[in-house]
Amino acid sequence: MVKEITLKDSEHETGVIAKRVYFAGFVILFLVIIIILRVFYLTVLQHDHFTTLSKSNRVKITPIPPIRGLIYSREGVVLAENKPTFSLEVIPEQIDDVENIIKQLKAIISIEDKDIERFKKALKKQRRFENVALRYNLNEEEVALFAVNRHRFPGVDVVAGLNRFYPLGEKLVHTIGYVGRIDEDDVKQLNASNYSGTSHIGKLGIEKSYESLLHGEVGYQQVEVNAQGRVIRVLSRTPPKPGENLNLTIDLSLQQIAIDALKDKRGAIVAMDPVNGDILTFVSSPGYDPNKFVNGIDSKSYKALLSSKDKPLINRVIRGKYPPGSTIKPFLGMVALDSGVRQFHDESWCPGWYSLKGHEHRYRDWKKQGHGHTDLHKAITQSCDVYFYILAYELGIDRIFEGLSQFGFGKESGIDIDGEAKGLLPSQEWKRKALGQAWYPGETLIMGIGQGYALSTPLQLAKATASLANRGDVVRPRLVSSTSNSITSDIITLPVIHEDKVAINEKDHWDNIIKSMRDVVHGAGGTAWRSGLNTEYEFAGKTGTAQVIGIAQDKEYKKEEIAEEFQDHALFIAFAPVEAPRIAVAIIVENGGGGSKAAAPIARKIFDEFMKNETDTETKG
Amino acid sequence: MEEQSLSQRLHIDFPLLSGIIILCLIGLVILYSAGGQDIDLVYRQAIKLSIALIGMIIVAQLPPAVLERWSLWLFIFGVVLLLLVIFFGDVGKGAQRWLDLGIFRFQPSEIMKLTVPMMVASYLADKSLPPKFSWVVIVCILITIPVLLIAKQPDLGTSLLVATAGFSVLFIAGISWRLLMSMGILAAAGAPILWYFMHDYQKQRVLTLLNPEQDPLGAGYHIIQSKIAIGSGGFYGKGWLNGTQSHLEFLPERSTDFIFAVFCEEFGMIGVLLLLCVYLFIISRGLYIAINAQNTYGRLLASGLTLTFFVYIFVNMGMVTGQLPVVGVPLPLISHGGTSMVTLMIGFGILMAIHTHRRFLSF
């Protein structure tokens, strides 16, 4: 007899398994019948229908890429447009010997090795019946040469397309960004069929963050083709929906003034309308030419940009992190008044330095001989450091953190482009987590003059200044105010976004601080008095100087002894006009020295132009 | 001891072998037509088939006890390879599936189609069946790990097949209907939660998967063209080499995933019936081997492999005829391509091993 070797309750188990196997067999039969019925439906019942389709199946569907939306400045000047261009494209399916075709094409059109390399890479990824570009930007002569020889190259064709172009080049590169060829990372993110005819995608700035609006929706056409797949005629066409045009809030005349002011310097300038958050000026200097990136920058130029010590690729407005320096003082003043630690007229004595009880270390004032008796008004207009050491110490880091975060320090501003840095508003908790250390009182002290750990971006400073000008109304900055549709001409105005208000309701506090900032410019002894001379309007501001390197206790900062890259950053925040603010600015000139000399005059120039334009429109209106 | 038959000495199951060879021949014939009458293509595929057949015969020589002992280690080995793919893998067609071994590249996910059912079968083999709840949980975890790793590559088709391979073993092992139903309900309930956490573009892909006609430039194009090819073939077909849809190059991927459409166009409904007969013959032989296996491991593994083989066929035909989403599953032993074919052949080799290594005791 034959018997299997098993040690367990085999009878029962075999039964369980056999039952299931039979059951599975029935399911399989059932599913096979479904397939048979489906094939029967298609081949017998629908046979005539599909035969008709197959006979007329000389029809292919090809995508029509949408036209990318244009970008306009506030005045309606085109900042990003589409220029016609020709590329040489290949349908892989229709070519037997790629190497041979390339060799023959090389004889009439210049094709570089890097083109071939990129082409072969694309060839592997794309579907065999889709076009792959071999060369971009053919000139007219090359187009003509190919046209004459076209019969020799079935499966190869010149395709007309549009290329993104930025007429103002580097002036707005940090704002608008640029488009570039779709790469592997993009492919993972995008909707493949909506991009089936598209070669470029927004990589940076507005081009990136508004990609979905700018791109539009792909259309397609049914075309009749001959046996080689060449298009004979178009049968039907579903037109693409072009991308939306964007209207920016950037004011080109102000932008130009800011660019000129930072010529050959490193720095950033942001101007913003405090009422609606419109960014009027957005300059990060130096810039670079975005047009080089559209069809791929060559590695030599890219390396040059990367290694330049001016770091042109960094968007300083949203990614530059600077110590706010004395520009933090008006905000701290607000926090102190609100908490009741200080009344506006309370005085401190400033002998030119301050020491914590029981400590040797002297925290020095910028004015060696001291400011004497100082109240908050004087401490702001003359930027007394000692007053703010004491004030900060009495407030304590917790209240400082609480108060300043209401003005947006340490948080993204929420502007409508990606990549914003948060800056750093230190707190006890932050220090414990990041450095694993307790908070020291001395660190609170230097928070009073915006030094130490505190870092903010120029955009954060501008937003905080706007919130101050607004007396607590926090408006989110924006670069796009409306979109318009090029077919329907519908204009969609984007909403102004108001964030949580600064929770300080006492009107006197706002009045006092704003008055002090006015007197920085227009008052006696104000640090920016030179910039306030002979104006037809009044503006309010605060200078700042941010230390780049620490200075030893017994040494003094001597400008001429220090290399340029270690000199202080000049800062200035301001808004105008004082009574009903319509523009707020934050200016940072890297290694520019003192804020009053290097930064405040730029604000004056911007305000002059802005106020001139305002009166012009008012008289016109 | 009884005299061993030829089949048992060579460890080859002749009915199974003849079914496989018939399928391969059909595949080569249709490939000649689908590939634009390129005899070199057919020649190369024939060489690959022969290598795979040799691989099958080699695997058939291994006693099932050895396979059972090695199951766990092969499984761990496969998972490690999957992790390597995620960190060092090559990118092909936008997905990371390949591991470059210098001489050749291969997809570790393919190995999992075999090692997952082997692992599950060996885990359940020494337990008394039907499985207890806690064992089912462990089996589910064992299956989920490689499935998630493969889905991450992303390769939805293969991860589905691997999951099927594992779960069919569990099903055969007699998991209770109640548990099966609750798992189904759990999965159905999990879908909306997963949906909630997906990016917009991912949602869009799923929608396209479910309704390809929505996307006439992508997956929808495949379906439209393949339905035209099948429907215009009619009951008797247009005849070998006479399919217009495939030869005028309307049908994409006609020698790989969509080769069934070419088959239908040229051989018609009648051809489909014959092809299904061959497939059903192989499947019933596989299930016969499963029922007659000598131990639980053999029974579970043989039926798991056979069911997976059927799922291949069903998913591919369902997708080509426009009933299932396009997930990229080839038609077994017919579609052009090497990797999945080798896996299938090794699977058949295991079936043969289970059937031909029989131990007898005489009393």
mmCIF file of all heavy atoms in Angstrom, chain B residues 263-285:
data_model
loop_
_atom_site.group_PDB
_atom_site.id
_atom_site.type_symbol
_atom_site.label_atom_id
_atom_site.label_comp_id
_atom_site.label_asym_id
_atom_site.label_seq_id
_atom_site.Cartn_x
_atom_site.Cartn_y
_atom_site.Cartn_z
ATOM 1 N N PHE B 263 -3.655 39.236 -30.817
ATOM 2 C CA PHE B 263 -4.126 37.853 -30.936
ATOM 3 C C PHE B 263 -5.602 37.833 -31.331
ATOM 4 O O PHE B 263 -6.000 37.130 -32.263
ATOM 5 C CB PHE B 263 -3.911 37.141 -29.592
ATOM 6 C CG PHE B 263 -4.299 35.696 -29.627
ATOM 7 C CD1 PHE B 263 -3.382 34.715 -29.992
ATOM 8 C CD2 PHE B 263 -5.587 35.299 -29.292
ATOM 9 C CE1 PHE B 263 -3.738 33.381 -30.021
ATOM 10 C CE2 PHE B 263 -5.950 33.972 -29.321
ATOM 11 C CZ PHE B 263 -5.032 33.005 -29.692
ATOM 12 N N CYS B 264 -6.404 38.631 -30.637
ATOM 13 C CA CYS B 264 -7.841 38.659 -30.930
ATOM 14 C C CYS B 264 -8.113 39.151 -32.346
ATOM 15 O O CYS B 264 -8.965 38.626 -33.048
ATOM 16 C CB CYS B 264 -8.569 39.585 -29.966
ATOM 17 S SG CYS B 264 -8.624 38.962 -28.302
ATOM 18 N N GLU B 265 -7.363 40.192 -32.742
ATOM 19 C CA GLU B 265 -7.621 40.759 -34.064
ATOM 20 C C GLU B 265 -7.341 39.729 -35.155
ATOM 21 O O GLU B 265 -8.074 39.640 -36.131
ATOM 22 C CB GLU B 265 -6.757 42.007 -34.284
ATOM 23 C CG GLU B 265 -7.087 42.717 -35.592
ATOM 24 C CD GLU B 265 -6.231 43.930 -35.856
ATOM 25 O OE1 GLU B 265 -5.197 44.096 -35.192
ATOM 26 O OE2 GLU B 265 -6.618 44.715 -36.735
ATOM 27 N N GLU B 266 -6.282 38.947 -34.975
ATOM 28 C CA GLU B 266 -5.878 38.046 -36.045
ATOM 29 C C GLU B 266 -6.550 36.662 -35.958
ATOM 30 O O GLU B 266 -6.776 36.030 -36.972
ATOM 31 C CB GLU B 266 -4.354 37.921 -36.066
ATOM 32 C CG GLU B 266 -3.711 39.294 -36.297
ATOM 33 C CD GLU B 266 -2.247 39.235 -36.634
ATOM 34 O OE1 GLU B 266 -1.641 38.163 -36.468
ATOM 35 O OE2 GLU B 266 -1.714 40.271 -37.073
ATOM 36 N N PHE B 267 -6.840 36.203 -34.732
ATOM 37 C CA PHE B 267 -7.407 34.857 -34.605
ATOM 38 C C PHE B 267 -8.856 34.839 -34.141
ATOM 39 O O PHE B 267 -9.470 33.778 -34.068
ATOM 40 C CB PHE B 267 -6.537 33.999 -33.687
ATOM 41 C CG PHE B 267 -5.142 33.820 -34.205
ATOM 42 C CD1 PHE B 267 -4.062 34.344 -33.521
ATOM 43 C CD2 PHE B 267 -4.915 33.153 -35.395
ATOM 44 C CE1 PHE B 267 -2.792 34.193 -34.011
ATOM 45 C CE2 PHE B 267 -3.636 33.000 -35.887
ATOM 46 C CZ PHE B 267 -2.554 33.523 -35.202
ATOM 47 N N GLY B 268 -9.381 36.030 -33.790
ATOM 48 C CA GLY B 268 -10.807 36.140 -33.499
ATOM 49 C C GLY B 268 -11.238 35.409 -32.246
ATOM 50 O O GLY B 268 -10.438 34.870 -31.474
ATOM 51 N N MET B 269 -12.560 35.369 -32.072
ATOM 52 C CA MET B 269 -13.178 34.723 -30.922
ATOM 53 C C MET B 269 -12.765 33.254 -30.832
ATOM 54 O O MET B 269 -12.484 32.729 -29.758
ATOM 55 C CB MET B 269 -14.691 34.829 -31.102
ATOM 56 C CG MET B 269 -15.507 34.039 -30.126
ATOM 57 S SD MET B 269 -15.983 35.073 -28.754
ATOM 58 C CE MET B 269 -16.666 33.848 -27.681
ATOM 59 N N ILE B 270 -12.676 32.602 -31.967
ATOM 60 C CA ILE B 270 -12.363 31.176 -31.986
ATOM 61 C C ILE B 270 -10.965 30.923 -31.447
ATOM 62 O O ILE B 270 -10.726 29.994 -30.661
ATOM 63 C CB ILE B 270 -12.535 30.619 -33.437
ATOM 64 C CG1 ILE B 270 -12.496 29.099 -33.452
ATOM 65 C CG2 ILE B 270 -11.530 31.164 -34.396
ATOM 66 C CD1 ILE B 270 -13.888 28.525 -33.392
ATOM 67 N N GLY B 271 -10.057 31.842 -31.795
ATOM 68 C CA GLY B 271 -8.698 31.740 -31.283
ATOM 69 C C GLY B 271 -8.662 31.919 -29.773
ATOM 70 O O GLY B 271 -7.946 31.216 -29.058
ATOM 71 N N VAL B 272 -9.471 32.872 -29.296
ATOM 72 C CA VAL B 272 -9.512 33.137 -27.865
ATOM 73 C C VAL B 272 -9.982 31.892 -27.129
ATOM 74 O O VAL B 272 -9.410 31.516 -26.088
ATOM 75 C CB VAL B 272 -10.429 34.335 -27.566
ATOM 76 C CG1 VAL B 272 -10.597 34.508 -26.066
ATOM 77 C CG2 VAL B 272 -9.874 35.599 -28.192
ATOM 78 N N LEU B 273 -11.006 31.232 -27.676
ATOM 79 C CA LEU B 273 -11.522 30.038 -27.019
ATOM 80 C C LEU B 273 -10.440 28.964 -26.924
ATOM 81 O O LEU B 273 -10.253 28.334 -25.888
ATOM 82 C CB LEU B 273 -12.739 29.499 -27.783
ATOM 83 C CG LEU B 273 -13.997 30.360 -27.657
ATOM 84 C CD1 LEU B 273 -15.107 29.824 -28.561
ATOM 85 C CD2 LEU B 273 -14.471 30.422 -26.220
ATOM 86 N N LEU B 274 -9.696 28.786 -28.019
ATOM 87 C CA LEU B 274 -8.629 27.784 -28.007
ATOM 88 C C LEU B 274 -7.540 28.144 -27.003
ATOM 89 O O LEU B 274 -7.070 27.302 -26.244
ATOM 90 C CB LEU B 274 -8.030 27.654 -29.417
ATOM 91 C CG LEU B 274 -8.930 26.895 -30.393
ATOM 92 C CD1 LEU B 274 -8.368 26.971 -31.817
ATOM 93 C CD2 LEU B 274 -9.079 25.436 -29.955
ATOM 94 N N LEU B 275 -7.178 29.430 -27.000
ATOM 95 C CA LEU B 275 -6.138 29.886 -26.074
ATOM 96 C C LEU B 275 -6.569 29.646 -24.631
ATOM 97 O O LEU B 275 -5.795 29.157 -23.797
ATOM 98 C CB LEU B 275 -5.856 31.374 -26.306
ATOM 99 C CG LEU B 275 -4.777 32.000 -25.425
ATOM 100 C CD1 LEU B 275 -3.416 31.399 -25.738
ATOM 101 C CD2 LEU B 275 -4.721 33.508 -25.601
ATOM 102 N N LEU B 276 -7.848 29.981 -24.344
ATOM 103 C CA LEU B 276 -8.345 29.782 -22.987
ATOM 104 C C LEU B 276 -8.333 28.303 -22.614
ATOM 105 O O LEU B 276 -8.069 27.945 -21.465
ATOM 106 C CB LEU B 276 -9.750 30.371 -22.845
ATOM 107 C CG LEU B 276 -9.783 31.900 -22.711
ATOM 108 C CD1 LEU B 276 -11.208 32.415 -22.777
ATOM 109 C CD2 LEU B 276 -9.105 32.356 -21.428
ATOM 110 N N CYS B 277 -8.595 27.443 -23.602
ATOM 111 C CA CYS B 277 -8.551 26.008 -23.332
ATOM 112 C C CYS B 277 -7.153 25.597 -22.871
ATOM 113 O O CYS B 277 -6.992 24.843 -21.909
ATOM 114 C CB CYS B 277 -8.922 25.220 -24.584
ATOM 115 S SG CYS B 277 -10.685 25.217 -24.871
ATOM 116 N N VAL B 278 -6.123 26.109 -23.575
ATOM 117 C CA VAL B 278 -4.755 25.763 -23.180
ATOM 118 C C VAL B 278 -4.477 26.257 -21.755
ATOM 119 O O VAL B 278 -3.936 25.538 -20.916
ATOM 120 C CB VAL B 278 -3.742 26.366 -24.171
ATOM 121 C CG1 VAL B 278 -2.323 25.995 -23.760
ATOM 122 C CG2 VAL B 278 -4.034 25.900 -25.575
ATOM 123 N N TYR B 279 -4.877 27.496 -21.505
ATOM 124 C CA TYR B 279 -4.668 28.052 -20.167
ATOM 125 C C TYR B 279 -5.390 27.211 -19.110
ATOM 126 O O TYR B 279 -4.834 26.893 -18.068
ATOM 127 C CB TYR B 279 -5.168 29.498 -20.089
ATOM 128 C CG TYR B 279 -4.148 30.512 -20.554
ATOM 129 C CD1 TYR B 279 -4.488 31.528 -21.447
ATOM 130 C CD2 TYR B 279 -2.847 30.484 -20.057
ATOM 131 C CE1 TYR B 279 -3.561 32.463 -21.856
ATOM 132 C CE2 TYR B 279 -1.910 31.417 -20.471
ATOM 133 C CZ TYR B 279 -2.270 32.411 -21.357
ATOM 134 O OH TYR B 279 -1.344 33.324 -21.754
ATOM 135 N N LEU B 280 -6.662 26.875 -19.404
ATOM 136 C CA LEU B 280 -7.431 26.110 -18.426
ATOM 137 C C LEU B 280 -6.820 24.735 -18.192
ATOM 138 O O LEU B 280 -6.829 24.216 -17.082
ATOM 139 C CB LEU B 280 -8.888 25.968 -18.894
ATOM 140 C CG LEU B 280 -9.754 27.184 -18.628
ATOM 141 C CD1 LEU B 280 -11.157 26.988 -19.169
ATOM 142 C CD2 LEU B 280 -9.818 27.498 -17.132
ATOM 143 N N PHE B 281 -6.253 24.177 -19.254
ATOM 144 C CA PHE B 281 -5.595 22.890 -19.109
ATOM 145 C C PHE B 281 -4.431 22.984 -18.119
ATOM 146 O O PHE B 281 -4.299 22.175 -17.199
ATOM 147 C CB PHE B 281 -5.101 22.385 -20.476
ATOM 148 C CG PHE B 281 -4.257 21.153 -20.388
ATOM 149 C CD1 PHE B 281 -4.860 19.931 -20.095
ATOM 150 C CD2 PHE B 281 -2.880 21.205 -20.549
ATOM 151 C CE1 PHE B 281 -4.084 18.780 -19.984
ATOM 152 C CE2 PHE B 281 -2.096 20.070 -20.437
ATOM 153 C CZ PHE B 281 -2.704 18.856 -20.153
ATOM 154 N N ILE B 282 -3.623 24.029 -18.294
ATOM 155 C CA ILE B 282 -2.471 24.216 -17.394
ATOM 156 C C ILE B 282 -2.956 24.433 -15.967
ATOM 157 O O ILE B 282 -2.429 23.855 -15.008
ATOM 158 C CB ILE B 282 -1.615 25.401 -17.874
ATOM 159 C CG1 ILE B 282 -0.952 25.035 -19.199
ATOM 160 C CG2 ILE B 282 -0.573 25.783 -16.831
ATOM 161 C CD1 ILE B 282 -0.126 26.149 -19.795
ATOM 162 N N ILE B 283 -4.009 25.253 -15.830
ATOM 163 C CA ILE B 283 -4.508 25.567 -14.487
ATOM 164 C C ILE B 283 -5.067 24.313 -13.820
ATOM 165 O O ILE B 283 -4.778 24.034 -12.651
ATOM 166 C CB ILE B 283 -5.568 26.680 -14.567
ATOM 167 C CG1 ILE B 283 -4.890 28.006 -14.924
ATOM 168 C CG2 ILE B 283 -6.317 26.826 -13.242
ATOM 169 C CD1 ILE B 283 -5.844 29.063 -15.381
ATOM 170 N N SER B 284 -5.838 23.519 -14.588
ATOM 171 C CA SER B 284 -6.429 22.346 -13.938
ATOM 172 C C SER B 284 -5.342 21.324 -13.582
ATOM 173 O O SER B 284 -5.401 20.675 -12.541
ATOM 174 C CB SER B 284 -7.511 21.713 -14.817
ATOM 175 O OG SER B 284 -7.078 21.673 -16.139
ATOM 176 N N ARG B 285 -4.290 21.273 -14.401
ATOM 177 C CA ARG B 285 -3.173 20.398 -14.055
ATOM 178 C C ARG B 285 -2.526 20.900 -12.756
ATOM 179 O O ARG B 285 -2.192 20.097 -11.876
ATOM 180 C CB ARG B 285 -2.153 20.397 -15.205
ATOM 181 C CG ARG B 285 -0.994 19.442 -15.009
ATOM 182 C CD ARG B 285 -1.440 17.995 -15.038
ATOM 183 N NE ARG B 285 -0.386 17.090 -14.584
ATOM 184 C CZ ARG B 285 -0.548 15.797 -14.334
ATOM 185 N NH1 ARG B 285 -1.754 15.257 -14.487
ATOM 186 N NH2 ARG B 285 0.443 15.050 -13.926
#
